[in-house]
Short mmCIF file of all heavy atoms in Angstrom, two decimals:
data_model
loop_
_atom_site.label_atom_id
_atom_site.label_comp_id
_atom_site.label_asym_id
_atom_site.label_seq_id
_atom_site.Cartn_x
_atom_site.Cartn_y
_atom_site.Cartn_z
N GLY A 284 99.42 115.75 83.55
CA GLY A 284 100.15 115.09 84.64
C GLY A 284 99.85 115.64 86.02
O GLY A 284 100.32 115.07 87.01
N SER A 285 99.09 116.70 86.13
CA SER A 285 98.74 117.22 87.44
C SER A 285 97.78 116.25 88.14
O SER A 285 97.02 115.54 87.48
CB SER A 285 98.13 118.61 87.34
OG SER A 285 96.99 118.58 86.52
N THR A 286 97.86 116.26 89.47
CA THR A 286 97.10 115.29 90.25
C THR A 286 96.31 115.96 91.36
O THR A 286 96.63 117.08 91.78
CB THR A 286 98.04 114.24 90.88
OG1 THR A 286 98.98 114.92 91.73
CG2 THR A 286 98.80 113.47 89.82
N ASN A 287 95.29 115.28 91.81
CA ASN A 287 94.60 115.72 93.02
C ASN A 287 94.09 114.49 93.76
O ASN A 287 93.87 113.43 93.16
CB ASN A 287 93.48 116.71 92.72
CG ASN A 287 92.44 116.16 91.78
OD1 ASN A 287 91.61 115.34 92.17
ND2 ASN A 287 92.44 116.62 90.55
N TYR A 288 93.92 114.65 95.06
CA TYR A 288 93.58 113.54 95.95
C TYR A 288 92.52 113.98 96.95
O TYR A 288 92.48 115.14 97.36
CB TYR A 288 94.81 113.08 96.74
CG TYR A 288 95.96 112.60 95.90
CD1 TYR A 288 96.93 113.48 95.44
CD2 TYR A 288 96.08 111.25 95.58
CE1 TYR A 288 97.98 113.03 94.66
CE2 TYR A 288 97.13 110.80 94.80
CZ TYR A 288 98.08 111.69 94.34
OH TYR A 288 99.13 111.24 93.57
N VAL A 289 91.71 113.02 97.37
CA VAL A 289 90.83 113.28 98.49
C VAL A 289 91.70 113.39 99.74
O VAL A 289 92.75 112.74 99.85
CB VAL A 289 89.78 112.15 98.62
CG1 VAL A 289 90.42 110.84 99.01
CG2 VAL A 289 88.68 112.54 99.57
N ASP A 290 91.28 114.22 100.69
CA ASP A 290 92.12 114.50 101.86
C ASP A 290 92.51 113.23 102.62
O ASP A 290 93.63 113.13 103.14
CB ASP A 290 91.40 115.46 102.81
CG ASP A 290 91.38 116.89 102.31
OD1 ASP A 290 92.14 117.19 101.36
OD2 ASP A 290 90.62 117.71 102.86
N SER A 291 91.62 112.26 102.68
CA SER A 291 91.86 111.08 103.50
C SER A 291 93.00 110.20 103.00
O SER A 291 93.48 109.33 103.73
CB SER A 291 90.58 110.25 103.62
OG SER A 291 90.15 109.83 102.34
N VAL A 292 93.45 110.39 101.77
CA VAL A 292 94.52 109.55 101.23
C VAL A 292 95.79 110.34 100.92
O VAL A 292 96.80 109.74 100.52
CB VAL A 292 94.09 108.78 99.97
CG1 VAL A 292 92.79 108.03 100.22
CG2 VAL A 292 93.95 109.72 98.76
N LYS A 293 95.76 111.64 101.13
CA LYS A 293 96.95 112.46 100.83
C LYS A 293 98.13 111.98 101.66
O LYS A 293 98.01 111.76 102.86
CB LYS A 293 96.65 113.93 101.10
CG LYS A 293 95.78 114.57 100.06
CD LYS A 293 95.52 116.04 100.37
CE LYS A 293 94.65 116.68 99.31
NZ LYS A 293 94.34 118.11 99.63
N GLY A 294 99.28 111.85 101.01
CA GLY A 294 100.48 111.37 101.67
C GLY A 294 100.59 109.86 101.74
O GLY A 294 101.64 109.33 102.12
N ARG A 295 99.51 109.14 101.40
CA ARG A 295 99.54 107.68 101.43
C ARG A 295 99.39 107.07 100.04
O ARG A 295 99.98 106.03 99.75
CB ARG A 295 98.43 107.15 102.34
CG ARG A 295 98.51 107.63 103.77
CD ARG A 295 97.51 106.89 104.65
NE ARG A 295 96.13 107.13 104.26
CZ ARG A 295 95.26 106.16 103.94
NH1 ARG A 295 95.64 104.90 103.96
NH2 ARG A 295 94.02 106.47 103.62
N PHE A 296 98.59 107.68 99.20
CA PHE A 296 98.31 107.15 97.86
C PHE A 296 98.99 108.03 96.81
O PHE A 296 99.10 109.25 96.97
CB PHE A 296 96.81 107.14 97.58
CG PHE A 296 96.01 106.14 98.36
CD1 PHE A 296 96.54 105.45 99.45
CD2 PHE A 296 94.68 105.90 98.02
CE1 PHE A 296 95.79 104.54 100.17
CE2 PHE A 296 93.91 104.99 98.72
CZ PHE A 296 94.47 104.32 99.81
N THR A 297 99.41 107.40 95.71
CA THR A 297 99.99 108.12 94.59
C THR A 297 99.40 107.60 93.29
O THR A 297 99.44 106.39 93.03
CB THR A 297 101.51 107.95 94.55
OG1 THR A 297 102.08 108.40 95.79
CG2 THR A 297 102.11 108.76 93.40
N ILE A 298 98.86 108.51 92.50
CA ILE A 298 98.34 108.15 91.18
C ILE A 298 99.38 108.52 90.14
O ILE A 298 100.06 109.55 90.24
CB ILE A 298 96.99 108.85 90.89
CG1 ILE A 298 96.36 108.29 89.62
CG2 ILE A 298 97.14 110.36 90.86
CD1 ILE A 298 94.93 108.78 89.39
N SER A 299 99.52 107.66 89.14
CA SER A 299 100.46 107.93 88.06
C SER A 299 99.91 107.31 86.77
O SER A 299 98.99 106.50 86.81
CB SER A 299 101.85 107.36 88.38
OG SER A 299 101.80 105.96 88.54
N ARG A 300 100.50 107.71 85.66
CA ARG A 300 100.04 107.17 84.38
C ARG A 300 101.24 106.92 83.47
O ARG A 300 102.23 107.63 83.55
CB ARG A 300 99.04 108.11 83.71
CG ARG A 300 99.59 109.46 83.29
CD ARG A 300 98.48 110.43 82.91
NE ARG A 300 97.69 109.96 81.77
CZ ARG A 300 96.48 110.43 81.47
NH1 ARG A 300 95.94 111.38 82.22
NH2 ARG A 300 95.84 109.97 80.42
N ASP A 301 101.09 105.93 82.62
CA ASP A 301 102.07 105.62 81.58
C ASP A 301 101.32 105.65 80.27
O ASP A 301 100.62 104.70 79.93
CB ASP A 301 102.71 104.25 81.84
CG ASP A 301 103.82 103.92 80.87
OD1 ASP A 301 103.78 104.42 79.73
OD2 ASP A 301 104.73 103.16 81.25
N ASN A 302 101.44 106.74 79.55
CA ASN A 302 100.66 106.91 78.33
C ASN A 302 101.08 105.91 77.25
O ASN A 302 100.24 105.49 76.44
CB ASN A 302 100.78 108.33 77.81
CG ASN A 302 100.07 109.33 78.70
OD1 ASN A 302 99.10 109.00 79.38
ND2 ASN A 302 100.56 110.56 78.70
N ALA A 303 102.33 105.52 77.23
CA ALA A 303 102.79 104.55 76.23
C ALA A 303 102.14 103.20 76.45
O ALA A 303 101.84 102.47 75.50
CB ALA A 303 104.30 104.44 76.27
N LYS A 304 101.89 102.85 77.71
CA LYS A 304 101.25 101.58 78.03
C LYS A 304 99.75 101.72 78.20
O LYS A 304 99.07 100.73 78.49
CB LYS A 304 101.85 101.00 79.31
CG LYS A 304 103.32 100.61 79.19
CD LYS A 304 103.82 100.00 80.48
CE LYS A 304 105.29 99.56 80.34
NZ LYS A 304 105.80 98.97 81.60
N LYS A 305 99.23 102.93 78.09
CA LYS A 305 97.80 103.19 78.29
C LYS A 305 97.33 102.63 79.63
O LYS A 305 96.30 101.95 79.73
CB LYS A 305 96.97 102.59 77.15
CG LYS A 305 97.24 103.20 75.79
CD LYS A 305 96.32 102.60 74.73
CE LYS A 305 96.58 103.20 73.36
NZ LYS A 305 95.68 102.62 72.32
N THR A 306 98.08 102.93 80.65
CA THR A 306 97.80 102.38 81.97
C THR A 306 97.91 103.48 83.03
O THR A 306 98.80 104.34 82.95
CB THR A 306 98.78 101.24 82.30
OG1 THR A 306 98.65 100.21 81.30
CG2 THR A 306 98.47 100.64 83.67
N VAL A 307 97.01 103.43 83.99
CA VAL A 307 97.06 104.32 85.14
C VAL A 307 97.20 103.45 86.39
O VAL A 307 96.66 102.34 86.45
CB VAL A 307 95.82 105.23 85.21
CG1 VAL A 307 94.54 104.42 85.38
CG2 VAL A 307 95.97 106.26 86.30
N TYR A 308 97.95 103.95 87.35
CA TYR A 308 98.25 103.20 88.56
C TYR A 308 97.79 103.96 89.80
O TYR A 308 97.70 105.18 89.79
CB TYR A 308 99.76 102.97 88.67
CG TYR A 308 100.39 102.30 87.47
CD1 TYR A 308 101.00 103.05 86.47
CD2 TYR A 308 100.36 100.92 87.33
CE1 TYR A 308 101.57 102.44 85.36
CE2 TYR A 308 100.93 100.29 86.23
CZ TYR A 308 101.53 101.06 85.25
OH TYR A 308 102.09 100.45 84.15
N LEU A 309 97.54 103.21 90.84
CA LEU A 309 97.30 103.80 92.15
C LEU A 309 98.14 103.03 93.16
O LEU A 309 97.82 101.88 93.48
CB LEU A 309 95.82 103.76 92.53
CG LEU A 309 95.47 104.47 93.83
CD1 LEU A 309 95.67 105.99 93.68
CD2 LEU A 309 94.03 104.19 94.26
N GLN A 310 99.20 103.66 93.63
CA GLN A 310 100.02 103.07 94.67
C GLN A 310 99.44 103.44 96.01
O GLN A 310 99.28 104.62 96.31
CB GLN A 310 101.47 103.58 94.56
CG GLN A 310 102.39 103.06 95.65
CD GLN A 310 102.63 101.56 95.55
OE1 GLN A 310 102.84 101.03 94.47
NE2 GLN A 310 102.58 100.88 96.68
N MET A 311 99.10 102.44 96.80
CA MET A 311 98.44 102.67 98.08
C MET A 311 99.33 102.15 99.19
O MET A 311 99.62 100.94 99.24
CB MET A 311 97.09 101.97 98.12
CG MET A 311 96.17 102.37 96.97
SD MET A 311 94.51 101.66 97.11
CE MET A 311 94.88 99.92 96.93
N ASN A 312 99.78 103.04 100.04
CA ASN A 312 100.64 102.69 101.17
C ASN A 312 99.93 103.00 102.48
O ASN A 312 98.95 103.74 102.50
CB ASN A 312 101.95 103.46 101.10
CG ASN A 312 102.76 103.17 99.85
OD1 ASN A 312 102.72 102.05 99.33
ND2 ASN A 312 103.48 104.16 99.35
N SER A 313 100.44 102.43 103.54
CA SER A 313 99.88 102.67 104.89
C SER A 313 98.37 102.48 104.89
O SER A 313 97.62 103.31 105.41
CB SER A 313 100.23 104.08 105.37
OG SER A 313 101.64 104.28 105.38
N LEU A 314 97.95 101.39 104.33
CA LEU A 314 96.51 101.14 104.19
C LEU A 314 95.84 100.99 105.55
O LEU A 314 96.42 100.44 106.50
CB LEU A 314 96.27 99.92 103.32
CG LEU A 314 96.44 100.18 101.81
CD1 LEU A 314 96.66 98.88 101.05
CD2 LEU A 314 95.22 100.92 101.28
N LYS A 315 94.60 101.46 105.59
CA LYS A 315 93.78 101.43 106.80
C LYS A 315 92.51 100.63 106.54
O LYS A 315 92.06 100.54 105.38
CB LYS A 315 93.41 102.85 107.22
CG LYS A 315 94.59 103.79 107.41
CD LYS A 315 94.12 105.20 107.71
CE LYS A 315 95.28 106.16 107.91
NZ LYS A 315 94.82 107.54 108.20
N PRO A 316 91.89 100.11 107.58
CA PRO A 316 90.63 99.37 107.36
C PRO A 316 89.58 100.22 106.64
O PRO A 316 88.80 99.67 105.84
CB PRO A 316 90.19 99.03 108.79
CG PRO A 316 91.48 98.91 109.54
CD PRO A 316 92.36 99.97 108.97
N GLU A 317 89.58 101.51 106.86
CA GLU A 317 88.59 102.36 106.20
C GLU A 317 88.85 102.55 104.71
O GLU A 317 88.03 103.15 104.00
CB GLU A 317 88.49 103.73 106.90
CG GLU A 317 89.81 104.44 107.10
CD GLU A 317 90.39 104.21 108.50
OE1 GLU A 317 90.34 103.05 109.00
OE2 GLU A 317 90.90 105.19 109.08
N ASP A 318 89.98 102.05 104.23
CA ASP A 318 90.24 102.06 102.78
C ASP A 318 89.56 100.88 102.07
O ASP A 318 89.59 100.81 100.84
CB ASP A 318 91.75 102.01 102.51
CG ASP A 318 92.48 103.24 103.00
OD1 ASP A 318 91.98 104.35 102.80
OD2 ASP A 318 93.58 103.07 103.58
N THR A 319 88.99 99.99 102.85
CA THR A 319 88.30 98.85 102.26
C THR A 319 87.16 99.32 101.37
O THR A 319 86.29 100.08 101.80
CB THR A 319 87.75 97.93 103.36
OG1 THR A 319 88.85 97.37 104.08
CG2 THR A 319 86.90 96.82 102.77
N ALA A 320 87.17 98.87 100.12
CA ALA A 320 86.17 99.31 99.14
C ALA A 320 86.41 98.58 97.83
O ALA A 320 87.45 97.93 97.64
CB ALA A 320 86.26 100.81 98.91
N VAL A 321 85.45 98.73 96.94
CA VAL A 321 85.68 98.38 95.55
C VAL A 321 86.23 99.63 94.87
O VAL A 321 85.65 100.71 94.97
CB VAL A 321 84.39 97.92 94.85
CG1 VAL A 321 84.67 97.59 93.39
CG2 VAL A 321 83.81 96.69 95.56
N TYR A 322 87.36 99.46 94.20
CA TYR A 322 88.02 100.58 93.54
C TYR A 322 87.75 100.51 92.03
O TYR A 322 87.94 99.47 91.41
CB TYR A 322 89.52 100.56 93.82
CG TYR A 322 89.86 101.04 95.20
CD1 TYR A 322 89.54 100.27 96.33
CD2 TYR A 322 90.47 102.27 95.41
CE1 TYR A 322 89.82 100.72 97.61
CE2 TYR A 322 90.77 102.72 96.69
CZ TYR A 322 90.43 101.94 97.77
OH TYR A 322 90.71 102.39 99.05
N TYR A 323 87.33 101.64 91.49
CA TYR A 323 86.96 101.73 90.08
C TYR A 323 87.87 102.72 89.35
O TYR A 323 88.15 103.81 89.85
CB TYR A 323 85.52 102.21 89.93
CG TYR A 323 84.48 101.30 90.52
CD1 TYR A 323 84.05 101.45 91.83
CD2 TYR A 323 83.91 100.28 89.75
CE1 TYR A 323 83.09 100.61 92.38
CE2 TYR A 323 82.94 99.45 90.29
CZ TYR A 323 82.54 99.61 91.59
OH TYR A 323 81.58 98.79 92.12
N CYS A 324 88.25 102.33 88.17
CA CYS A 324 89.00 103.22 87.28
C CYS A 324 88.00 103.98 86.41
O CYS A 324 86.97 103.43 85.99
CB CYS A 324 89.93 102.36 86.43
SG CYS A 324 90.94 103.28 85.25
N ASN A 325 88.32 105.22 86.14
CA ASN A 325 87.45 106.08 85.33
C ASN A 325 88.28 106.86 84.33
O ASN A 325 89.36 107.33 84.65
CB ASN A 325 86.69 107.04 86.24
CG ASN A 325 85.86 108.03 85.46
OD1 ASN A 325 86.31 109.13 85.14
ND2 ASN A 325 84.65 107.64 85.13
N ALA A 326 87.75 106.96 83.11
CA ALA A 326 88.36 107.78 82.07
C ALA A 326 87.35 108.83 81.64
O ALA A 326 86.20 108.49 81.35
CB ALA A 326 88.78 106.92 80.88
#
């Protein structure tokens, strides 16, 4: 359950997981134009 973030998103993005649902989430707040990208999930 420990987490780490790239500096540019600290305080704005939150990663979480629900093991029962086998799902990981990325909550992104205060989005900026420089956040524009294709986002990929990795296991």
